[in-house]
Amino acid sequence: MKQRAALPSILFSILLFTSCESNKTHNLSLLDHQTPDNTPLIFAEGIISTDDFEFTITFTPEMDELYFTRRKPDEDNAVYGIKLENNVWSEPEIAFFTSNEGWDFEPHISPNGDRLYFGSVRPLNDTASSAGLHQWYSKRTASGWDDPRPLEKPFIDRRITMYLTSAENGNLYFTTGEEGVKPEDWDIHTANNINGEYSEVIRMGPEINFDGKYIAHSYIAPDESYMIYDGESDSGYGDCDLYISFNRDGQWSEAINLGPEINTDQCEMCASVSPDGRYLFFHRGSTDENDKDTGNIYWVDLGRVLENIE
């Protein structure tokens, strides 16, 4: 595993895209006027990031609707959403797909905006109890999001499937583990979209699933040119760190630590990137002296982050 790597052609194309977008106005400035550069800032403090525990954020392609996970003290995870209407963002509310049984977390909207995925421990039908952590999704229709349904085979056969993100071509990337495998040994898998069907779950190679633990939460770029994910390593900066790997003609580079501007002695995890490619979002947090999880969602200029990779 490498701390830095020279990947000029891939980096150039990503940096070119982000620089072209940098002068455009964006709806997020209506939510948080303090736009970050190379130093991560808490995102939408007091609105999205509060004294509760927040992580995982996703946006519609128009960036006029977003969803994130919040966990209040002594409560389970829950997904909240807000919308932009008449240039004003609404207050966060429990997501429309929230169930009366179980809990939901880690939402993801597909790059073309037609599906909203999320993880849930809700029962798979009206009579059965929860059979594990599965991925559900809602389709976007002319009248809005429809009722959620679980992803079918081969996903439904697995007891754990979490933090799913999708590429433009419909390929899916997620964290999973076999029955009986400890959470620290779960890792990142993919499933290829073949004419709208997914026939098998494929464990990604050692470039992604490096020699460490808690390797999880893979954000895939829409064009599959890079992946940002987190894990723990003896060569890291403390707790879980964020890493990036680049895809060159189907071959993934070794994991590259995003460095001390991003990673600290706290846990950095659950990365996502705004649909315009400009901003990297992630959770940073820790456990306090009362064994309470604390942490917020941060954002940073993705182009500035990539410039530090040599």
Side-chain angles (χ1 to χ4, degrees):
M1 180 178 59
K2 298 179 181 178
Q3 296 294 103
R4 298 178 186 270
L7 294 163
S9 60
I10 300 174
L11 283 175
F12 177 78
S13 62
I14 298 172
L15 288 169
L16 179 62
F17 175 78
T18 56
S19 64
C20 289
E21 296 289 323
S22 62
N23 293 323
K24 296 181 181 179
T25 57
H26 56 87
N27 292 334
L28 300 186
S29 63
L30 299 173
L31 185 59
D32 190 336
H33 67 278
Q34 194 174 12
T35 303
D37 47 29
N38 62 324
T39 300
L41 300 176
I42 295 176
F43 177 62
E45 192 167 9
I47 302 172
I48 302 296
S49 297
T50 67
D51 291 337
D52 298 324
F53 187 79
E54 288 94 10
F55 60 103
T56 311
I57 192 166
T58 188
F59 306 85
T60 55
E62 302 80 13
M63 294 171 67
D64 59 0
E65 187 176 353
L66 67 84
Y67 295 86
F68 65 97
T69 309
R70 171 175 289 163
R71 184 165 70 237
K72 296 183 178 181
D74 301 319
E75 293 186 14
D76 291 325
N77 296 314
V79 176
Y80 287 73
I82 68 173
K83 295 181 180 181
L84 180 67
E85 297 178 340
N86 300 318
N87 284 333
V88 176
W89 285 95
S90 64
E91 292 295 319
E93 295 182 350
I94 289 288
F96 68 90
F97 52 75
T98 301
S99 171
N100 292 327
E101 296 183 69
W103 49 261
D104 311 316
F105 75 155
E106 298 177 349
H108 166 73
I109 297 174
S110 60
N112 62 14
D114 66 341
R115 289 192 176 195
L116 194 170
Y117 297 94
F118 61 94
S120 182
V121 299
R122 68 182 65 188
L124 290 173
N125 56 53
D126 293 335
T127 58
S129 60
S130 174
L133 174 57
H134 294 94
Q135 288 296 310
W136 293 64
Y137 69 96
S138 295
K139 289 184 177 180
R140 197 172 194 177
T141 68
S143 57
W145 299 105
D146 68 5
D147 291 334
R149 70 209 74 178
L151 274 178
E152 297 296 339
K153 290 180 177 292
F155 309 98
I156 204 168
D157 296 329
R158 307 185 75 87
R159 182 175 172 273
I160 296 291
T161 306
M162 70 176 190
Y163 208 88
L164 180 147
T165 60
S166 58
E168 288 174 332
N169 60 14
N171 291 345
L172 303 178
Y173 296 78
F174 48 92
T175 303
T176 187
E178 300 294 342
E179 186 76 28
V181 174
K182 296 179 180 179
E184 59 263 36
D185 295 324
W186 298 345
D187 46 21
I188 297 170
H189 291 61
T190 185
N192 294 327
N193 175 24
I194 302 174
N195 299 321
E197 301 290 336
Y198 300 91
S199 61
E200 62 178 331
V201 170
I202 303 168
R203 183 181 185 274
M204 300 198 73
E207 301 84 4
I208 303 296
N209 294 310
F210 56 80
D211 185 16
K213 58 182 181 178
Y214 294 110
I215 300 168
H217 308 127
S218 51
Y219 169 80
I220 187 67
D223 62 357
E224 298 181 296
S225 60
Y226 66 88
M227 179 191 294
I228 303 175
Y229 50 102
D230 49 84
E232 291 185 25
S233 169
D234 292 339
S235 61
Y237 290 90
D239 206 331
C240 40
D241 285 354
L242 289 178
Y243 293 82
I244 190 169
S245 292
F246 296 95
N247 183 353
R248 178 179 287 165
D249 299 325
Q251 292 294 318
W252 287 96
S253 72
E254 292 186 18
I256 305 166
N257 191 296
L258 287 185
E261 285 290 340
I262 302 299
N263 294 313
T264 67
D265 59 356
Q266 300 185 68
C267 179
E268 283 77 27
M269 66 176 189
C270 296
S272 62
V273 175
S274 56
D276 60 6
R278 291 176 63 178
Y279 299 108
L280 167 65
F281 291 81
F282 62 92
H283 166 88
R284 176 182 289 163
S286 61
T287 303
D288 66 17
E289 63 276 7
N290 297 317
D291 204 31
K292 173 188 174 184
D293 290 333
T294 63
N296 296 118
I297 295 172
Y298 285 70
W299 63 328
V300 66
D301 187 303
L302 178 60
R304 295 293 187 90
V305 174
L306 296 179
E307 286 174 354
N308 291 328
I309 298 176
E310 300 176 352

